Amino acid sequence: MANILYKKQKQQKSLDNGITWVDTGEYRVGDIIENPSNCSSTDSKQCRWVELDASEGYYCDGINKYTMQVEECTENGLIWTRTGNYQRGNTLIESNSTDCGYVKPDTPTGDITSDTL
């Protein structure tokens, strides 16, 4: 049976808009590098998932607002290019977000008396 060689993608997170990056300890299987593989590929492309600021994009899960992640890849470790692949991030930005369709209940105005109950 032939071996298939995959890229290993490491997730990193930035809390300062991309100035510094911290490994999250999460990995996933990336694109196929070689099929069938003899495991001698010299592909130097590295990819990572970067959490976006809410102003760049967010994901709604029901009425809850989460961060989005974008995939970035590099050949030399210096210049990272966004691939256009996005996925849901792990950080909850806001529960009951109006951006995700949450409608705040009406707040009664005026005095509430036993006549109005």
Side-chain angles (χ1 to χ4, degrees), residues 69-103:
Q69 294 178 342
V70 62
E71 183 183 41
E72 293 181 345
C73 294
T74 184
E75 297 278 339
N76 59 14
L78 300 175
I79 300 171
W80 292 85
T81 305
R82 290 186 176 181
T83 64
N85 296 325
Y86 292 86
Q87 68 181 15
R88 176 183 150 181
N90 298 318
T91 305
L92 176 66
I93 298 170
E94 180 183 21
S95 296
N96 300 330
S97 173
T98 56
D99 291 331
C100 296
Y102 176 73
V103 178

Side-chain angles (χ1 to χ4, degrees), residues 1-6 32-41:
M1 185 168 152
N3 292 322
I4 299 174
L5 182 63
Y6 294 90
I32 294 175
I33 296 172
E34 192 175 331
N35 182 12
S37 170
N38 61 8
C39 294
S40 64
S41 175

